[in-house]
Each structure stands twice: as structure tokens, then as C-alpha cells.
Amino acid sequence: MPLMRACASLLGILLLLGAPSARAQEDWFASLYTPAGIELRADTRVFSLYALLNRTGYDTGTPRREHPVPAWRYTPARARVREALSGADPSVAQRAQAFFDAHPVPLERYLAVTVRMQDEEAPAEPRELAGLEVLLDRVEAHWPVSALRAETFADHRAAMRAYLPLLDEPWRRTHQLLHLPEGQPALRVVVNLLDAEGQAHGFRTGQGAVVVVGPSPTPALERVMWEYARALMPPRIAEQAQARWAAGPALLREAQALGAKETTVGAYATALLSRALALAALGAPPSAYDNAGREGYFGLQALAGSFDNPRPVDGWALEGLARVGSERPSRK
């Protein structure tokens, strides 16, 4: 495995030295690897999914104007794809809208299914989204997404290269804090320039964990490690918190008022623990914990210190969460 990774890393370097205009489509499939073996790549299915979403109404981006009509700012790659697909075969968009009407589940579920399509060890495609792969096949067949991948090749590669020197140390530290074997589970980072800035989503797969990260002015390292940590949290933590964390409902309401996106006590507990783990793994300064508190993620510094506990995280999670209510900043 180390030899394979070294060869893949060398191949990635050689590809980067080549001419993107001539070999961009072929190079799209090539992964880059950090020295420790973290894989960075673009993903054809994720690209097709978000090309479809952008064509059918996914306009969310960085606000550039609020009045009189909201408008958003997009990365050059996303703007190019949106422009190119504005006149694409409308029958595919119509089929997509019908599919969305029949399957009204959060976008993250669509992305999870898409990421796992080529994962032989992942569970079978959920019945709730059966037919998504066929829809994406139509996107490939009837829209110029292959050419658009080639056109945005340089943008994707630049974003991937920016992460290469940053990931290994917090990845190793995450394993140490969770008392996991070094390098396990594996991490794959998929760069997705067709999403909104600041977005990241983590998923477990048969081979490890995948984090799909959107564009950002600088590498969104905290978000990537937060999503990786979230994917590693045992499901039992959410179950315990949902049933037994007495302060959880009130804290969740307060957090939502500050912008936290979680909708259940269990999900919020997992978010707190995973973000605390990410900050600990990154050796984050106190200001990072303060920023998290202002966003509704309270008590992370105390939770980060709890990872020194030799017990598995689900063995002490409720004890740590019990301190969150008493240590959060008072609201004025």
C-alpha cells in the first residue's frame, strides 16, 4: 500500500507538469496523495450532480447583493458551468425536477448516495433515491459536462494542491485522540467547486471516510477536519444524547438562534464533539473556540480536553456534554 501511494503521488506530480489543455479530461480521474496517504481528487459523479443542481435552481452562494433582488457571487468554475448549461437540453432538467418532487430529501442525502455509487462495500442505494444514478447518466449523455470538467481542470487542481501540505498532521492527531490505528480510517477529500463557499459534508464509506468540500479563498481545513471527525463519531453518541442529555433541548434552541444548523439534540451533540475534536487536532488557538461559541457551539475547549480520556469517546461523551451548559457564555 505505501508503494502504491508513492507511485500515485509521483503520477499526480507528473500529471501536474503536463499540459492541462491537452490531457485535462484524462487527468480528471487521477488522485493526488499527501505523504501520509490522504487522497485528494475531483469526482465525476459529484460534478454531474452539482451541475444538475446548479441548472435546476441551486443558486445559493456568497451574497453580493441583498436588495432589491438577492444576488450571489460564484467562483469562476461555477460561473462557467452555470453559463454553459443555461441553454442545455431542457428535458433533462424537467426529468430532474420530477425526480426532486418525488424524492424531497435534503441535498446532503443526494450527495451521500452519489459519493457511495462506486463504493462496492457501501450499503445498497437507499430506496428513497433509487433512480438517481440513471438521472446522472442522462446528465452525462445529454449535457456537455465532460467538456466542462476539462475546462475547470486547472481550478480544481489548484484547490487540491493547496490542501496537500496541510492535512497530514491533524489527520494523525485525530487518530491519536480517538485511540485509533494510525492511518485508519482512510480519508479522501473531494474538491467540489460547484458548491457554495464554505460547504463541507463528510460520509463514511466501505473504504474509510470521504469529505466533499466546497470552494474557499484559503483551504477550509477546520471544516474538512470537522466533517471527518463527525464521520468518525460512533452513532451511539447521538442516541445517548437524544435520550439522556437533559440540557440538550434548551442548548440546541439557543445554538440554532446563533446559526447552528443541527435539528436534533443527538445531531447537535455529535457536532459539538466532532468540532471539539477537529480543533484539538489542529492545535487551534483560543480564538477559534471563541468563534465556535459565537456560532452556537458551546464549551468546545472543555470537550477538546476530554479527548485525553483513555476511554472510548462514547464512554465519556455524556459526562463531557453535561459540562457544556455550565461553561457556555452567558447571553446578554
Side-chain angles (χ1 to χ4, degrees):
M1 183 63 72
L3 178 61
M4 291 176 60
R5 286 173 176 160
C7 291
S9 182
L10 177 60
L11 175 61
I13 294 172
L14 292 174
L15 289 171
L16 289 173
L17 295 176
S21 60
R23 301 184 55 114
Q25 184 56 38
E26 186 176 326
D27 291 350
W28 179 270
F29 299 95
S31 297
L32 303 179
Y33 287 86
T34 70
I38 297 172
E39 181 183 8
L40 288 120
R41 66 172 297 116
D43 185 288
T44 57
R45 285 299 201 185
V46 171
F47 189 97
S48 294
L49 173 66
Y50 274 81
L52 177 64
L53 293 171
N54 274 274
R55 174 66 174 80
T56 52
Y58 182 60
D59 299 330
T60 303
T62 303
R64 67 176 178 85
R65 185 187 69 218
E66 183 177 358
H67 303 293
V69 177
W72 294 269
R73 183 172 63 251
Y74 304 124
T75 62
R78 188 178 178 192
R80 172 65 189 122
V81 169
R82 290 173 64 89
E83 177 187 14
L85 294 180
S86 61
D89 182 352
S91 68
V92 179
Q94 291 165 2
R95 283 177 177 265
Q97 295 289 8
F99 188 88
F100 298 158
D101 287 339
H103 305 83
V105 299
L107 185 155
E108 189 173 25
R109 289 295 308 130
Y110 278 81
L111 181 57
V113 171
T114 301
V115 164
R116 294 172 178 141
M117 279 180 180
Q118 298 179 357
D119 183 357
E120 295 180 357
E121 299 179 39
E125 184 182 46
R127 185 175 302 175
E128 66 181 0
L129 288 178
L132 178 59
E133 189 165 11
V134 174
L135 180 60
L136 296 183
D137 286 340
R138 292 190 66 85
V139 171
E140 289 283 344
H142 295 275
W143 288 357
V145 290
S146 179
L148 289 169
R149 282 195 289 268
E151 289 183 35
T152 60
F153 168 85
D155 299 282
H156 281 85
R157 282 287 158 148
M160 291 159 62
R161 286 196 300 268
Y163 282 97
L164 279 174
L166 303 176
L167 289 166
D168 282 349
E169 185 54 37
W171 187 50
R172 290 192 183 101
R173 182 61 178 150
T174 298
H175 296 151
Q176 293 170 358
L177 291 169
L178 288 178
H179 313 293
L180 296 172
E182 184 175 350
Q184 296 297 325
L187 170 59
R188 184 197 319 157
V189 177
V190 173
V191 172
N192 174 23
L193 298 186
L194 305 189
D195 202 351
E197 187 175 305
Q199 294 297 305
H201 305 278
F203 310 101
R204 285 301 296 262
T205 70
Q207 286 77 40
V210 175
V211 175
V212 182
V213 61
S216 55
T218 58
L221 194 58
E222 181 181 329
R223 283 306 308 264
V224 169
M225 297 313 302
W226 182 10
E227 289 302 317
Y228 179 62
R230 194 197 307 260
L232 301 189
M233 287 292 126
R236 183 165 174 258
I237 289 175
E239 297 167 1
Q240 289 177 329
Q242 193 69 37
R244 298 165 51 195
W245 186 21
L251 285 172
L252 175 59
R253 288 192 295 272
E254 189 171 339
Q256 289 171 331
L258 294 172
K261 304 301 184 184
E262 288 73 26
T263 58
T264 68
V265 169
Y268 180 58
T270 299
L272 288 175
L273 287 158
S274 55
R275 189 165 184 180
L277 175 59
L279 292 176
L282 288 165
S287 60
Y289 293 93
D290 293 339
N291 290 339
R294 286 190 287 270
E295 295 170 4
Y297 298 94
F298 311 122
L300 297 194
Q301 201 151 14
L303 284 176
S306 298
F307 282 96
D308 292 330
N309 194 312
R311 290 181 292 164
V313 60
D314 54 345
W316 56 260
L318 281 179
E319 299 170 17
L321 291 168
R323 295 194 294 272
V324 170
S326 61
E327 295 187 4
R328 78 188 190 282
S330 60
R331 296 186 67 186
K332 303 195 178 184

